[in-house]
Amino acid sequence: MIKDFKKIWGDHMKLHEYQAKGIFKDYGIMVPNGKVISSPDEAERVLSELKGPPWVLKVQIHAGGRGKAGGVRIVKSEAELKETAKEMFSRPLVTSQTGPEGKKIHQILVEEAVDIEKEFYLGITIDREAERPVLIFSPSGGMEIEEVAAKDPSLIWKEHIDPAVGWLPFQARNIAYRLGPLLRTDLFKKFVSLLNTLCRIFFEKDCSLVEINPLVITKQGSIIALDAKMDIDDNSLFRHRDLKELDDPKEKDPLELKAHEYNLNYIRLDGDIGVMVNGAGLAMATMDLIKMAGAEPANFLDVGGGASEEMIKRGFEIILEDPKVKAILINIFGGILRCDVLARGLIKAAKGVEIKVPLIIRLEGTNVDQGRELLKESGLEFLIARDMKEAARLVAKQVKES
Ligand code: GDP
Ligand code: MN
């Protein structure tokens, strides 16, 4: 339940790697020279502006694990670059974080390749248990930080940041000294300054996460952010117009986008029970009951207290469009949203489509008799549940039998 809770209430706007690197550059953090292309034909054009070969091609998607999945490729000639770009654009990339359907490639970052001497991990995020931001560093970079933590927790170094005083420079030196001989003296200052700068970015841009994995020391003795990840806390976007413009709707779930258009609070989850509820609290309670009945919700959908017939119709359509959904539970407590309005919205949505999955409805509150009557007369097939618990049990039973 906690996992869903975070998904529903902790919303973040993700930036692409090239966008985050643009911000790093503005703050003076070194990143490889690079150009973004949106089609294979553009590859040739950007080469005149980049040193090389070799170059690195990196697909720009809102998911990590690209390296292992073939989404980061080093090429050694112009011909290889064109060939590889064409191949990368031609199909979705599936990584450990995308889900089996993968992500369509709209953009590729072409960069000058870097000679890596050492790879580190560096990130700042919120430690919910400690109730404060934490900077995390690991001398073992390049691989996923969860993996490092599982294998050898002594390789994860943390500096918590007191929100009252902010990041203090001695904290950067703590980590630099701990690295010891891994840092040559000329690199010490650069390293400390990079840590301080990344903290400034985290606070000034209202990040919920900023991550450089790997942070590398090159054979030539520079410190470079080879990768960049940045999530912005949605609640702060009102004061970051420039960041808001970096939002890429192509990366969003199409059903979530549609829901957003109609002012519906809809979030897709991993289960198979479509849920429509009015009120966020009732929605959370309904999801809990579904889980207690041994099933998993396919979505969170709060149509809101005063939903119109049109919103109900759109919400129901979105649930019906999700191919994962094997049964639907509608749990409405009619207050401002009257039960007859709900019934009309459902009937309208059902008109255009064939509903192939069982539908369970629990209706209570204002105009409940009218609502039930409308539904009965409509010819729509559904089961009525007397209360929430029965509704959850019924819907769980339906998916188990299907
Ligand atoms: P991720 O797998 O999605 O996190 O993508 P990264 O940007 O972290 O790239 C994955 C790996 O590719 C890195 O850990 C590096 O080892 C390698 N890589 C990326 N860019 C370069 C480069 O310029 N030179 C070299 N030698 N390796 C690179
Ligand atoms: Mn990475």
Side-chain angles (χ1 to χ4, degrees):
M1 288 181 216
I2 296 294
K3 194 185 80 190
D4 293 341
F5 190 76
K6 257 179 93 171
K7 222 171 179 174
I8 292 160
W9 303 111
D11 233 9
H12 315 292
M13 189 188 100
K14 286 180 195 280
L15 299 192
H16 282 299
E17 174 189 4
Y18 78 89
Q19 295 168 327
K21 279 179 168 168
I23 293 170
F24 285 4
K25 211 171 154 187
D26 292 344
Y27 275 79
I29 292 179
M30 270 182 82
V31 297
N33 278 329
K35 293 272 167 209
V36 177
I37 59 173
S38 339
S39 73
D41 309 331
E42 287 175 41
E44 206 167 356
R45 192 170 51 76
V46 298
L47 285 188
S48 58
E49 297 166 65
L50 296 175
K51 268 186 245 139
W55 298 288
V56 184
L57 294 179
K58 309 181 82 176
V59 300
Q60 298 297 290
I61 52 172
H62 285 175
R66 298 166 303 171
K68 276 187 199 149
V72 176
R73 305 259 290 269
I74 298 183
V75 295
K76 298 200 172 65
S77 71
E78 210 173 310
E80 196 188 349
L81 178 124
K82 281 190 210 157
E83 184 78 9
T84 310
K86 209 167 154 191
E87 194 194 315
M88 282 171 132
F89 274 119
S90 71
R91 56 172 173 267
L93 183 73
V94 181
T95 83
S96 56
Q97 298 180 14
T98 58
E101 69 282 0
K103 285 243 165 161
K104 215 175 154 209
I105 310 305
H106 299 285
Q107 288 172 310
I108 294 176
L109 175 61
V110 184
E111 282 185 339
E112 293 173 7
V114 164
D115 281 335
I116 302 176
E117 188 172 302
K118 284 190 198 85
E119 293 184 283
F120 303 127
Y121 172 93
L122 175 61
I124 307 173
T125 187
I126 307 286
D127 182 340
R128 283 165 188 266
E129 262 165 59
E131 299 175 349
R132 56 192 54 200
V134 61
L135 178 139
I136 302 169
F137 179 86
S138 174
S140 171
M143 53 173 168
E144 277 172 50
I145 196 67
E146 290 84 0
E147 237 174 275
V148 181
K151 260 192 218 146
D152 189 354
S154 72
L155 291 177
I156 305 278
W157 306 347
K158 292 183 181 175
E159 286 287 337
H160 280 94
I161 305 170
D162 186 330
V165 290
W167 174 257
L168 296 170
F170 83 87
Q171 297 185 285
R173 290 193 295 274
N174 274 352
I175 289 183
Y177 283 127
R178 212 164 154 183
L179 259 179
L182 281 177
L183 276 184
R184 296 192 303 268
T185 41
D186 58 318
L187 283 173
F188 188 95
K189 260 194 184 159
K190 285 187 200 166
F191 180 80
V192 164
S193 137
L194 179 117
L195 261 53
N196 294 339
T197 306
L198 198 69
C199 282
R200 259 183 61 213
I201 294 176
F202 181 84
F203 286 104
E204 288 180 9
K205 302 294 182 195
D206 287 308
C207 298
S208 51
L209 172 78
V210 53
E211 193 182 74
I212 306 178
N213 187 24
L215 173 70
V216 304
I217 295 181
T218 66
K219 296 220 163 85
Q220 293 75 30
S222 322
I223 301 188
I224 294 189
L226 207 58
D227 193 7
K229 198 172 167 186
M230 205 161 152
D231 294 355
I232 313 289
D233 184 339
D234 263 13
N235 296 308
S236 77
L237 286 176
F238 73 95
R239 60 182 182 197
H240 295 295
R241 295 240 166 111
D242 51 332
L243 292 177
K244 209 171 168 183
E245 270 166 29
L246 301 180
D247 193 22
D248 182 357
K250 285 198 291 300
E251 287 290 315
K252 292 217 178 88
D253 183 311
L255 289 182
E256 288 188 5
L257 260 184
K258 201 166 168 182
H260 189 78
E261 210 177 299
Y262 300 118
N263 264 325
L264 296 162
N265 283 313
Y266 171 87
I267 288 141
R268 226 160 156 185
L269 303 169
D270 301 326
D272 47 19
I273 295 179
V275 191
M276 180 151 91
V277 187
N278 65 325
L282 189 61
M284 293 306 275
T286 307
M287 287 164 57
D288 281 355
L289 282 171
I290 290 172
K291 290 196 178 208
M292 282 161 77
E296 292 286 331
N299 66 277
F300 170 97
L301 171 56
D302 165 20
V303 295
S308 63
E309 203 176 301
E310 175 72 7
M311 280 167 81
I312 300 284
K313 175 175 175 272
R314 297 298 184 182
F316 195 40
E317 280 170 1
I318 286 168
I319 293 179
L320 290 170
E321 255 182 69
D322 183 349
K324 277 194 326 245
V325 167
K326 291 206 195 109
I328 299 171
L329 170 57
I330 294 178
N331 184 14
I332 299 289
F333 189 86
I336 302 167
L337 165 62
R338 304 186 327 253
C339 293
D340 56 312
V341 171
L342 171 95
R344 280 198 204 97
L346 289 183
I347 294 164
K348 263 200 190 151
K351 239 172 215 153
V353 286
E354 184 194 353
I355 301 175
K356 293 184 190 127
V357 296
L359 173 64
I360 287 103
I361 301 179
R362 182 252 176 176
L363 265 187
E364 217 47 81
T366 312
N367 292 357
V368 64
D369 293 333
Q370 257 173 279
R372 290 209 178 126
E373 199 55 38
L374 281 167
L375 286 170
K376 247 184 245 158
E377 286 166 4
S378 70
L380 191 65
E381 260 184 68
F382 61 94
L383 298 168
I384 282 274
R386 267 167 306 158
D387 56 40
M388 279 171 68
K389 219 167 170 181
E390 188 187 79
R393 252 192 251 126
L394 262 176
V395 80
K397 198 169 148 235
Q398 296 289 331
V399 286
K400 269 175 212 150
E401 282 170 3
S402 71

